[in-house]
Amino acid sequence: MRPLRLDMAGFTVFREPTTIDFTDADFFALVGPTGSGKSTVLDAICFALYGTVPRWASTRGIGNALSPSSAEARVRLVFESANSRYVATRVVRRDARGNAKTGNAGLQLMPAGFDVTKLDTGMSPEDLGEVIAGTPAEMEQAVLEAVGLPYEQFTSCVILPQGQFAEFLHAKPATRQQILVNLLGLGVYEEIQKRASARAIRAEAQLATVDQVLAGLTGTDDESLAAAAGQVAAARTLADAVEAALPELRAARAAADAARTGVAALDAEIAELARIRPPEGVAALARAVATARTEATEAAGAVALAEEREEKLRGELAGAGDPAALRLLLRAHAERDRTAGEARTLGAGLAEAETDHRAALDALAQARTAAEEAAGALEAARRAYQEAQNSDRAAALRAQLAAGATCPVCAQPVHEVPAVPAGSTLAAAEAAGHAARAAADAAQRVVAERDQAARELERALERTRARHDQLDARLAELAAQLADSPGPESLRQRLETLEALRRDLDEAGGSVRSTREAQRRARAGVEAAEERLRTAWRDFDAARDGIARLGPPAVDRDDVAAAWTALGDWAAGEARRRRDERVGAAAALRDAEATAAAVEERIGRLFADAGLAVPDDPVRGAAVAVERAEAEHRRLTERREQARQLTEQRGTHERAARVAKTLAGHLRANNFERWLLTEALDLLVDGASGILRELSAGQYDLGHDKGEFFVVDHHDAGLRRGVRTLSGGETFQASLALALALSEQLAGLSTTAASLESILLDEGFGTLDAATLDTVAATLENLAARGDRMVGVVTHVPALAERVPVRFEVHKTPRTARIERVG
């Protein structure tokens, strides 16, 4: 895996969109102050591929990807692997509750020769190439197939995280062994052992199945096949013999069928002739028709007489007058008598009402006079009261007047003060006024009551007069209406006469209806009798048509009974003649059937000689016998071929089971895996020792004993020392040597298709002295100079950074981090 371009936005310290172009950076360094975001660049590469970062393992996971104030983090990595270019994208979003979730993840295979700089033109995701993975769940397998390394191996061979250089160096043997198993993919041999065991079980099961089928395949020897071939030959011989006897059998059966058809035809004609018999009562049909026609004629005469009487009564009733007009005149006479009586009664009441009205008017006039007098008395009492008030006020002023003073009322000088009266008359005047008011109110009430009474009597009088006028007008109308009336008694007699005529007319109408019903029944009787006669002729015609092919004689169409008699006599004679003919035809049929039976018996002996039951159809029976014999022969041949194939399969299954069991047994002991691990560790230590010797200026070699690492100190007489006794700088040198050796040799040792086209070291190198640092720098330069791998380092050591041809300087501002390429 070789990174080509990295785009970040909202990812940890890179809040603003940031792009790093690695296309021509074979050897580069990420430099900058501590905490500026150097390691974040490697985190972004790892996150884009695997969705996680080594230093997030013990914290809150993908929530670390988001900048503190960002709701979305977006990372896109363009990389090469095995001569193909890919683009990996991951997007993390923060929801309303503050939880971080992967919103999008995808891996696309870019077209060949795609220019990475075109990503700056705002291309849509569809333009980036074929979609290999479109969800986080699909990414893991897709990245593994593209890069060739799972996450654990990638962070041990491609990106070496900060602070983890010495983990492999200081690990326990069992832990280191497991790391090598994972890195080298040796778990595949355990899977091979499991699959071999499963294959052995399947092969043994298949072997048992084949044995069971072979045990059931009997009758496949040469004797059984020869017997089946003989049965085929015998069946074919039988079929040929039956085919040779068929013409004679067909001729005999044809003759028997013809004779049988002749006898059946005679039997059918005899039966048809026997059914020709005159129906019962056919002789009485003509008499019944004549009788019905006579009854119909008599019924028609009765209808004519009844209709004539009804028409006569209808004319008399029409000339006798209108009963409705007579009843109207009777009602007018009764109304005139009622109206005259009511008018006389109302006239007497009218005179009495007029007298009462005049009396009420007189009483009203008297009440009004009394009211006027009471009103005058009230006015006099009011004046007396005012005079008494004035007298009292004057008496009150006199007490304040003095001779020669000015009067406060008239403003004139007072010459003499009058004497003050002995007492006041105001109370008496007030009492007189109240009495006059009461008398006046009482008089007004009497006037109102009498006025109301007079008005009511006047209205009643007007109603009585109006009703009297109405009665007089109605009497005048009735008098005009009854001017020509003969009188009530005469009218009643004429109505009784009309009623009698109406009853006679109703009786005549009933007679007409009854005679018409009798006429209808008579006509129906005629039609029924004539229909029975027509039915008799239709039955005769049907019977004669049924035997028309036999040539019946012609008949007289005027007498159905005679026609039936003639046809019956002819049919009886013809039946006797045909019964005589049937005796000879039956004898011929017996002879033809005997001949056919003899041929069938001969064919039956052929089947019996062949050991077969005699079939109903010899031709088909012979063909079935041939087909069954041939099918049995084919079945035995196929079973023999099946047995041969199963025998070959049995050998194959037996060999497969033996090989699978042997392989599973070898792998079950873990000797093969242990040997592979030992070889891998020897090669790894040998390569790392050479690198360490160069880094330490020939002081140290690296070795291992029973899984434990040690160094040989050539400056101390080849002393063997445990790796935990090394100083910090020496530990870094040994860890770097192991990392470089592991990265170089993993591709050759691993069972996976890993593409190790880069190594990225996240270590500060601050623990190395100048000489060692120079050696490390030279080692990394030589590794990059080989041209088969990109080398990247993260450092804040200026001496190392200056020796790297391409530097990406990381600067951090209060808002975001930014990257500048130098060199």
Side-chain angles (χ1 to χ4, degrees), residues 286-458:
R287 293 192 299 273
V289 170
T291 301
R293 288 173 178 171
T294 301
E295 292 176 353
T297 302
E298 293 175 354
V303 169
L305 292 175
E307 288 177 346
E308 181 180 357
R309 183 172 181 274
E310 181 186 28
E311 187 63 26
K312 179 181 179 181
L313 289 173
R314 198 180 303 279
E316 293 177 357
L317 184 61
D322 186 4
L326 297 177
R327 292 189 186 93
L328 184 61
L329 290 175
L330 273 177
R331 285 195 293 272
H333 278 289
E335 184 181 359
R336 185 186 63 179
D337 294 341
R338 290 193 304 273
T339 303
E342 184 180 357
R344 287 191 297 271
T345 302
L346 195 60
L350 180 60
E352 183 179 355
E354 290 175 346
T355 301
D356 292 342
H357 183 253
R358 286 192 296 272
L361 290 176
D362 293 342
L364 176 61
Q366 294 174 0
R368 286 175 176 169
T369 301
E372 291 174 357
E373 293 175 353
L378 177 60
E379 181 62 27
R382 186 180 296 111
R383 289 194 299 271
Y385 179 72
Q386 290 176 352
E387 290 175 357
Q389 281 183 328
N390 292 334
S391 297
D392 282 357
R393 291 190 187 101
L397 288 174
R398 287 174 188 170
Q400 301 175 7
L401 292 177
T406 301
C407 177
V409 177
C410 64
Q412 299 293 324
V414 178
H415 300 287
E416 183 182 359
V417 178
V420 177
S424 175
T425 62
L426 182 61
E430 184 179 3
H434 286 314
R437 166 60 67 185
D441 290 343
Q444 287 296 331
R445 286 195 295 274
V446 172
V447 170
E449 291 173 357
R450 291 183 180 180
D451 182 66
Q452 179 68 25
R455 291 178 183 278
E456 291 178 357
L457 288 172
E458 183 178 6

Side-chain angles (χ1 to χ4, degrees), residues 125-432:
E126 292 76 9
D127 298 329
L128 298 181
E130 176 188 356
V131 176
I132 300 175
T135 65
E138 297 172 352
M139 281 287 284
E140 181 177 355
Q141 182 61 33
V143 169
L144 178 60
E145 293 175 358
V147 177
L149 294 172
Y151 170 73
E152 293 79 5
Q153 295 183 20
F154 185 81
T155 54
S156 298
C157 302
V158 178
I159 292 182
L160 304 182
Q162 187 177 29
Q164 298 184 21
F165 270 33
E167 282 189 2
F168 189 75
L169 181 67
H170 292 157
K172 294 181 179 179
T175 303
R176 189 181 299 114
Q177 179 175 333
Q178 187 59 43
I179 291 174
L180 284 175
V181 168
N182 294 334
L183 290 176
L184 300 177
L186 300 184
V188 68
Y189 297 108
E190 182 179 356
E191 180 64 23
I192 291 173
Q193 187 271 328
K194 292 179 181 178
R195 293 189 181 185
S197 298
R199 180 169 296 182
I201 294 173
R202 288 197 303 271
E204 290 177 347
Q206 292 170 342
L207 184 62
T209 301
V210 169
D211 288 341
Q212 184 177 1
V213 175
L214 281 173
L217 291 176
T218 58
T220 58
D221 53 87
D222 295 339
E223 291 79 5
S224 299
L225 283 174
Q231 291 291 334
V232 171
R236 289 174 178 169
T237 301
L238 172 64
D240 294 341
V242 170
E243 188 66 26
L246 277 180
E248 183 181 358
L249 177 62
R250 291 193 183 101
R253 285 180 175 177
D257 291 341
R260 192 177 296 107
T261 300
V263 171
L266 288 172
D267 289 341
E269 291 177 358
I270 292 170
E272 290 177 358
L273 292 169
R275 287 193 293 271
I276 303 300
R277 295 178 182 177
E280 295 182 3
V282 68
L285 286 177
R287 293 192 299 273
V289 170
T291 301
R293 288 173 178 171
T294 301
E295 292 176 353
T297 302
E298 293 175 354
V303 169
L305 292 175
E307 288 177 346
E308 181 180 357
R309 183 172 181 274
E310 181 186 28
E311 187 63 26
K312 179 181 179 181
L313 289 173
R314 198 180 303 279
E316 293 177 357
L317 184 61
D322 186 4
L326 297 177
R327 292 189 186 93
L328 184 61
L329 290 175
L330 273 177
R331 285 195 293 272
H333 278 289
E335 184 181 359
R336 185 186 63 179
D337 294 341
R338 290 193 304 273
T339 303
E342 184 180 357
R344 287 191 297 271
T345 302
L346 195 60
L350 180 60
E352 183 179 355
E354 290 175 346
T355 301
D356 292 342
H357 183 253
R358 286 192 296 272
L361 290 176
D362 293 342
L364 176 61
Q366 294 174 0
R368 286 175 176 169
T369 301
E372 291 174 357
E373 293 175 353
L378 177 60
E379 181 62 27
R382 186 180 296 111
R383 289 194 299 271
Y385 179 72
Q386 290 176 352
E387 290 175 357
Q389 281 183 328
N390 292 334
S391 297
D392 282 357
R393 291 190 187 101
L397 288 174
R398 287 174 188 170
Q400 301 175 7
L401 292 177
T406 301
C407 177
V409 177
C410 64
Q412 299 293 324
V414 178
H415 300 287
E416 183 182 359
V417 178
V420 177
S424 175
T425 62
L426 182 61
E430 184 179 3

Side-chain angles (χ1 to χ4, degrees), residues 776-805:
V776 169
T779 302
L780 295 176
E781 288 172 348
N782 292 334
L783 184 62
R786 287 158 51 179
D788 60 347
R789 185 173 309 186
M790 170 190 283
V791 178
V793 296
V794 177
T795 183
H796 55 272
V797 178
L800 178 60
E802 291 173 356
R803 297 185 58 171
V804 178

Side-chain angles (χ1 to χ4, degrees), residues 424-744:
S424 175
T425 62
L426 182 61
E430 184 179 3
H434 286 314
R437 166 60 67 185
D441 290 343
Q444 287 296 331
R445 286 195 295 274
V446 172
V447 170
E449 291 173 357
R450 291 183 180 180
D451 182 66
Q452 179 68 25
R455 291 178 183 278
E456 291 178 357
L457 288 172
E458 183 178 6
R459 287 194 292 272
L461 180 60
E462 290 176 355
R463 289 195 297 272
T464 302
R465 285 174 179 167
R467 178 59 181 163
H468 191 270
D469 294 343
Q470 290 176 355
L471 292 175
D472 287 344
R474 181 58 181 162
L475 284 172
E477 293 175 359
L478 290 172
Q481 182 179 355
L482 297 174
D484 298 330
S485 174
E489 187 61 31
S490 177
L491 291 173
R492 291 190 188 93
Q493 290 177 359
R494 290 177 63 181
L495 281 174
E496 289 176 359
T497 302
L498 286 173
E499 187 63 29
L501 288 173
R502 171 61 63 188
R503 286 194 297 271
D504 292 343
L505 181 61
D506 291 342
E507 181 181 353
S511 177
V512 169
R513 287 190 294 274
S514 63
T515 55
R516 285 176 178 172
E517 177 62 23
Q519 183 186 26
R520 186 193 64 76
R521 288 196 300 272
R523 288 177 178 174
V526 172
E527 292 177 358
E530 291 177 347
E531 178 61 26
R532 287 195 297 274
L533 181 61
R534 287 192 294 271
T535 300
W537 276 113
R538 284 195 296 271
D539 292 344
F540 175 81
D541 291 340
R544 191 177 186 281
D545 291 343
I547 58 174
R549 69 183 187 284
L550 303 180
V555 296
D556 184 4
R557 299 294 297 181
D558 295 331
D559 189 350
V560 67
W564 268 110
T565 300
L567 184 63
D569 293 344
W570 175 84
E574 289 296 315
R576 286 192 298 271
R577 184 176 63 80
R578 281 170 173 74
R579 280 193 288 270
D580 294 340
E581 291 178 1
R582 187 184 184 285
V583 174
L589 174 61
R590 287 193 296 272
D591 294 343
E593 288 177 343
T595 302
V599 177
E600 290 174 355
E601 183 180 0
R602 189 166 68 253
I603 293 174
R605 284 197 300 272
L606 293 175
F607 280 93
D609 294 342
L612 299 175
V614 180
D616 295 333
D617 185 351
V619 176
R620 184 176 182 279
V624 169
V626 172
E627 182 178 350
R628 287 177 178 174
E630 291 176 346
E632 178 64 17
H633 185 266
R634 285 195 303 272
R635 187 182 69 84
L636 291 177
T637 303
E638 291 171 357
R639 287 168 65 89
R640 185 165 183 172
E641 177 62 20
Q642 183 183 6
R644 185 191 64 77
Q645 294 176 357
L646 288 174
T647 301
E648 293 179 356
Q649 292 179 12
R650 187 184 187 285
T652 301
H653 294 322
E654 187 175 16
R655 288 190 298 274
R658 185 167 57 252
V659 171
K661 287 174 66 176
T662 301
L663 177 60
H666 289 318
L667 294 178
R668 190 178 296 114
N670 295 328
N671 293 330
F672 183 68
E673 181 180 309
R674 190 178 301 112
W675 174 80
L676 284 176
L677 286 173
T678 301
E679 289 295 315
L681 189 58
D682 288 344
L683 290 174
L684 177 63
V685 171
D686 184 59
S689 182
I691 297 173
L692 179 60
R693 187 181 309 112
E694 183 179 357
L695 291 174
S696 63
Q699 181 178 358
Y700 295 115
D701 281 334
L702 185 66
H704 74 96
D705 183 16
K706 298 180 181 179
E708 291 288 353
F709 286 143
F710 62 87
V711 295
V712 177
D713 190 351
H714 295 290
H715 290 185
D716 194 4
L719 179 65
R720 291 176 57 171
R721 294 167 51 190
V723 293
R724 295 186 181 275
T725 64
L726 298 174
S727 64
E730 292 169 340
T731 299
F732 177 81
Q733 291 177 343
S735 299
L736 179 60
L738 274 174
L740 294 176
L742 183 63
S743 177
E744 288 182 352

